[in-house]
Amino acid sequence: MQYILSGAQYNILRKGGTERQKSSILNTYTTENVGSYVCAGCNTPLFTSADKFSSGTGWPSFSTALQGVEEEDLDPIRATLDGKEVRCATCGGHLGDLFNDGWIYRGTSAAKTGKRYCIDGAALIFKPEDGGEDVFGDLPPPNRVIKYEQSMYRGA
């Protein structure tokens, strides 16, 4: 599959931007939506639905990643305080951040791993296991209109 990235996908994957919280339809998905999450830039498998959990942060969260995800190499102190950037190992696209606060999400898979992959939904495509239609993460949740604005923190 080959297509041109949407504005939101390009901003996140290629410019290292982020999306507003609760702006992705994939934030509403749970482990009941069985399938895999792939990179919107190159189709590399990144996460499984079995590892998705609700963190309440407004971004899709996962407790573990597949081999298609690479983590920024940081010293343990900075990684604990600031988190690590995570990217697609195939195309280098920015996905989001990895935090070592999974233990606070009791009763979830993150409590076991101690990790929370906080991922921009627009960087992902959900591929249902049953072969249904792909769901692009840059779509807003049902009944929600998202206004994208230029970041006031990053240069153009």
Side-chain angles (χ1 to χ4, degrees):
M1 172 179 78
Q2 204 172 20
Y3 67 98
I4 296 174
L5 296 174
S6 71
Q9 291 169 328
Y10 184 82
N11 180 49
I12 291 164
L13 289 165
R14 303 297 179 241
K15 295 281 201 173
T18 193
E19 65 194 8
R20 289 182 177 206
Q21 66 185 110
K22 300 181 182 176
S23 65
S24 171
I25 191 170
L26 298 182
N27 188 53
T28 65
Y29 277 43
T30 67
T31 54
E32 293 176 13
N33 302 97
V34 180
S36 61
Y37 296 84
V38 302
C39 177
C42 69
N43 223 25
T44 297
L46 304 170
F47 303 97
T48 68
S49 57
D51 297 317
K52 189 168 188 313
F53 71 99
S54 177
S55 65
T57 61
W59 287 275
S61 297
F62 301 88
S63 58
T64 53
L66 301 175
Q67 289 183 336
V69 175
E70 66 181 19
E71 302 171 10
E72 181 180 22
D73 188 22
L74 282 180
D75 67 81
I77 303 293
R78 266 193 65 206
T80 300
L81 296 174
D82 298 333
K84 295 179 176 183
E85 180 185 14
V86 289
R87 302 180 77 79
C88 174
T90 304
C91 73
H94 171 78
L95 302 172
D97 298 287
L98 169 61
F99 299 99
N100 294 322
D101 62 359
W103 57 272
I104 65 174
Y105 299 97
R106 291 186 177 157
T108 70
S109 54
K112 295 176 188 145
T113 65
K115 296 181 177 185
R116 175 175 55 97
Y117 289 85
C118 184
I119 305 300
D120 289 292
L124 303 174
I125 299 172
F126 176 73
K127 295 191 168 286
E129 189 176 86
D130 65 7
E133 218 172 290
D134 292 352
V135 179
F136 290 76
D138 60 343
L139 296 174
N143 303 319
R144 180 130 194 218
V145 175
I146 306 298
K147 294 180 183 174
Y148 290 98
E149 300 171 6
Q150 186 160 354
S151 171
M152 57 189 206
Y153 299 108
R154 297 187 192 260

